[in-house]
Amino acid sequence: MSKSSIKFLSIIAGVSVVLSQNAMAKDRTVNVYNWAGQIGSTTVSQFEKATNIKVNYDVFDSNEVLEGKLMAGHSGFDVVSPSDSFLARQIQSDIYLPLDKSKLPNWDNLDPNLMKLMATHDPDNKYAIPYVWMTTGIGYNIDKVKERLGEDAPVDSWDLVFKPENMEKLKDCGVAFLDAPTEIFASALQYLGKDPNSTNAKDYTGPAFELLSQVRPNIRYFHSSQYINDLANGDICVVLGWSGDILQSRDRAKESNNGVHIGYSIPKEGALVFFDTFAIPKDSENVDEALEFLNFILEPQIAAEVTNDVNFASANKAANDHFVRSDVRNDPAVYPSDAAMEKLFTLKVQEPKLERTITRTWTKFKTGK
């Protein structure tokens, strides 16, 4: 073979390698499964532009849906977003990869105090990053509630949704509850003065079930995302829901200038506070890309854009200190006051037998049978 032929083949081989590398780069993907409405408006597009990694982005609206996919195996996802108590149970089931923190240089942006709280669910913060945090409380149409219950409507109390006489007056304008048994039962137990993490099955099948059953006829539907638009449009007037979602409703109503005025309250009796996290399932096929996505999310400016867009409090201290807008940072519905924080509680992992009891009791409550 001539020298020119060898040189030509070498060039061809080199070009092939480059083309192959480029093709591989273009084929890089990450499959993300996150809560509906819980991402900045440009987060995904900015990540794709910065990394040339294609994001296949899908959403869910309950921890139970996510858990079902994870427990079945071969979920097809590389990044998922369980809430903290579900994360803890899933860690026990050994379905997550430990995070390679050497590939997460932005890890230090996380709030050390919040990381200590997270460690109660994820010891040594080994498997997940806290993404955002929020409360479970009451969203309400200020004008419609006032029309039905007067100026002194108990919008700062669980009385609004757990007292039958109030719910009867609100029925016509529409009341929705989360389709989330853990959160609803915990809220009911807190209202009753019981441990919201009670391990006594009779607390769920007895007092909590009886309380909820009394207001069941006045609940229009159970759903964990439909209420966002319905509240913003005035189609319902009260929801027992998540703070970030309700504040999105408030902002949508303002933007549309439709005359709907929405408030959010953390009930004075105490309410649930929880983290939504990001973790990598063991069966992820794109671990490096997943880590790049997590590190991108930990950029202070990116984390702040999420909070500014969707009103979920950030777990990123650098974002809170420098990039979250002051009107969001000073909104007690997003970042609760110290007094409100003292009455917040987190959920604990329950034994499987009790979980089954809670699920059966929830089904009985929802169906009214």
Side-chain angles (χ1 to χ4, degrees):
M1 181 180 295
S2 68
K3 289 184 179 181
S4 58
S5 297
I6 293 173
K7 185 177 180 180
F8 176 75
L9 290 175
S10 297
I11 292 171
I12 292 296
V15 170
S16 297
V17 168
V18 170
L19 290 174
S20 177
Q21 289 174 340
N22 287 340
M24 289 175 64
K26 290 179 180 178
D27 288 339
R28 296 180 75 203
T29 61
V30 61
N31 302 300
V32 179
Y33 199 35
N34 193 14
W35 288 90
Q38 202 158 293
I39 195 79
S41 57
T42 64
T43 305
V44 170
S45 61
Q46 285 188 75
F47 174 75
E48 290 181 328
K49 184 177 180 180
T51 64
N52 203 28
I53 296 172
K54 168 67 178 173
V55 178
N56 297 315
Y57 190 85
D58 201 359
V59 299
F60 59 92
D61 65 6
S62 81
N63 274 295
E64 288 77 10
V65 168
L66 170 61
E67 186 164 80
K69 290 183 180 292
L70 291 173
M71 292 302 185
H74 305 292
S75 68
F77 296 110
D78 305 304
V79 175
V80 296
S81 183
S83 297
D84 47 14
S85 59
F86 281 76
L87 169 76
R89 184 168 65 205
Q90 291 155 8
I91 287 173
Q92 293 176 2
S93 298
D94 193 30
I95 61 175
Y96 292 119
L97 283 176
L99 296 177
D100 183 350
K101 295 175 187 174
S102 70
K103 296 183 178 180
L104 297 172
N106 288 322
W107 178 271
D108 290 342
N109 291 325
L110 290 164
D111 188 320
N113 292 323
L114 295 180
M115 295 305 286
K116 289 178 184 177
L117 284 175
M118 265 293 296
T120 63
H121 297 286
D122 178 15
D124 299 322
N125 301 123
K126 184 177 180 179
Y127 293 98
I129 63 168
Y131 172 48
V132 292
W133 60 278
M134 66 204 80
T135 55
T136 299
I138 299 170
Y140 56 98
N141 183 309
I142 296 171
D143 300 318
K144 288 186 177 181
V145 169
K146 188 183 295 184
E147 286 174 7
R148 287 157 180 78
L149 296 178
E151 295 287 342
D152 296 326
V155 294
D156 64 341
S157 169
W158 287 122
D159 282 346
L160 189 72
V161 293
F162 288 150
K163 276 197 170 182
E165 57 265 39
N166 292 331
M167 288 286 279
E168 182 65 34
K169 294 175 182 177
L170 296 168
K171 180 179 181 179
D172 72 296
C173 63
V175 179
F177 273 30
L178 290 168
D179 191 2
T182 309
E183 284 92 334
I184 302 299
F185 275 117
S187 301
L189 289 170
Q190 179 76 6
Y191 175 69
L192 291 167
K194 294 183 174 293
D195 181 358
N197 287 292
S198 174
T199 57
N200 184 350
K202 291 182 179 179
D203 283 340
Y204 298 88
T205 59
F209 176 74
E210 291 167 8
L211 174 73
L212 293 170
S213 294
Q214 290 176 20
V215 299
R216 174 63 186 91
N218 302 312
I219 301 172
R220 183 175 294 179
Y221 66 76
F222 300 86
H223 203 278
S224 296
S225 60
Q226 180 182 336
Y227 67 84
I228 301 174
N229 283 330
D230 287 352
L231 189 62
N233 296 335
D235 296 330
I236 60 172
C237 63
V238 172
V239 61
L240 196 170
W242 293 313
S243 58
D245 289 346
I246 293 164
L247 296 177
Q248 285 186 52
S249 299
R250 180 192 67 184
D251 291 350
R252 290 180 189 181
K254 285 181 180 178
E255 289 166 5
S256 65
N257 196 27
N258 63 3
V260 175
H261 305 102
I262 294 167
Y264 174 76
S265 69
I266 300 171
K268 61 187 178 183
E269 298 88 354
L272 170 66
V273 60
F274 61 95
F275 295 94
D276 284 337
T277 72
F278 277 136
I280 302 174
K282 264 192 171 179
D283 59 5
S284 166
E285 295 183 358
N286 303 289
V287 175
D288 286 339
E289 289 77 10
L291 287 165
E292 285 192 55
F293 183 81
L294 297 189
N295 194 59
F296 185 79
I297 289 293
L298 289 172
E299 288 278 358
Q301 296 94 329
I302 300 301
E305 286 174 12
V306 173
T307 293
N308 291 335
D309 276 359
V310 301
N311 288 308
F312 293 122
S314 180
N316 191 307
K317 187 177 187 303
N320 289 327
D321 289 347
H322 302 293
F323 299 105
V324 173
R325 290 199 321 265
S326 60
D327 61 307
V328 177
R329 190 70 183 88
N330 296 323
D331 186 342
V334 183
Y335 292 90
S337 67
D338 291 342
M341 288 291 289
E342 288 179 4
K343 292 196 173 183
L344 299 179
F345 61 86
T346 59
L347 291 178
K348 297 177 181 176
V349 178
Q350 301 286 16
E351 293 294 327
K353 183 177 179 181
L354 180 58
E355 287 285 351
R356 290 192 292 272
T357 297
I358 292 171
T359 300
R360 286 197 301 270
T361 308
W362 177 252
T363 301
K364 182 179 178 182
F365 158 60
K366 280 209 311 179
T367 60
K369 298 178 182 178

